[in-house]
Each structure stands twice: as structure tokens, then as C-alpha cells.
Amino acid sequence: MDDTHYREAICPACGIIDRFGDKWSLRILFLLHQKGTLRFNELLRNTPNVSQKMLATALKKLEADKLVNRKLYPEIPPKVEYSLTTLGKSLMSPLDGIIQWALEHSDEILEHRQKTEKQKKV
């Protein structure tokens, strides 16, 4: 693949990856993958340091991309559940591979980060 073709192919992919690749969306996807259907407050409790606003924003993006399903029950107070869609589930295998790679290489990467930080201070 020549360089021009590669750049054209990679740019659309980056726009899609950016939508689910942010800090909170990855955590939400992984939680739903691990635990199945969860309510908003369950997601909030299981996602450390996320605000209600950031969680709601991330869920709306994931729902807009059809990675997450939002089911509203007509009750008072309203009950809302979130789960992975078929498309969202299809994303989990590649994400699992990336997560495994990160776990396998985390010590090495953290060591390099520490060396770089020490060099910056000198």
C-alpha cells in the first residue's frame, strides 16, 4: 500500500476510533462487556472519577454510534438500562487484544515513561 493510499484509509478510521477511544467510552464499553446490562448509577459507581455529565455525554456518543443500546422503562422514577449492541459486541474482540497488549507491556512502557520524565528534569 503506497503512502497516499495508507493516509486516505487511516483518516476515516481515526474519526471512528476517536469516538470510542476516549478515556470514559473505553471504560464504559469494557464495563458493559464484563457485566452486561447496567443502569446509569451502576455505571457511575463502577467508573471511578467520572462525573454524571461526562458519563451522560459518553453514553450519548456511544448510543449515537450504535455501540450502546439505551432502554427506557416508562416508570416513575424513570429506569434506564444500557447494554452493548451487536456492533458494540463486535468491537470487544479487537479491544480485548489491545487491552491484553497493554497489560503485557505495561511494566516496560511505565519504565520508559519514568526514564523520559527523569531526563526532562535534568
Side-chain angles (χ1 to χ4, degrees):
M1 179 182 302
D2 68 25
D3 191 46
T4 304
H5 185 70
Y6 178 77
R7 278 193 310 252
E8 288 173 2
I10 209 75
C11 287
C14 288
I16 293 168
I17 292 167
D18 286 347
R19 289 287 294 226
F20 67 78
D22 66 84
K23 179 179 180 177
W24 304 118
S25 294
L26 279 175
R27 289 183 169 122
I28 293 164
L29 290 168
F30 190 70
L31 270 172
L32 292 173
H33 175 61
Q34 269 190 324
K35 299 184 182 246
T37 301
L38 294 172
R39 294 178 68 181
F40 184 87
N41 283 332
E42 292 173 312
L43 283 165
L44 191 62
R45 278 193 301 274
N46 286 283
T47 311
N49 303 318
V50 69
S51 68
Q52 286 185 352
K53 182 180 179 181
M54 286 306 300
L55 179 58
T57 300
L59 284 166
K60 284 177 185 172
K61 285 189 335 184
L62 293 169
E63 185 184 2
D65 288 348
K66 295 294 183 205
L67 297 173
V68 168
N69 183 50
R70 179 180 184 268
K71 185 172 182 180
L72 174 64
Y73 293 89
E75 302 174 358
I76 296 183
K79 177 181 171 183
V80 180
E81 292 180 337
Y82 296 91
S83 60
L84 291 178
T85 62
T86 302
L87 186 60
K89 288 176 185 175
S90 74
L91 174 61
M92 297 317 299
S93 181
L95 281 183
D96 280 339
I98 292 169
I99 290 166
Q100 285 305 311
W101 179 88
L103 291 172
E104 289 170 15
H105 297 282
S106 63
D107 289 341
E108 180 182 353
I109 291 168
L110 292 173
E111 183 180 311
H112 288 298
R113 281 186 191 171
Q114 289 173 349
K115 285 180 183 177
T116 302
E117 288 301 316
K118 284 180 184 176
Q119 290 173 351
K120 287 181 182 178
K121 291 179 181 179
V122 175

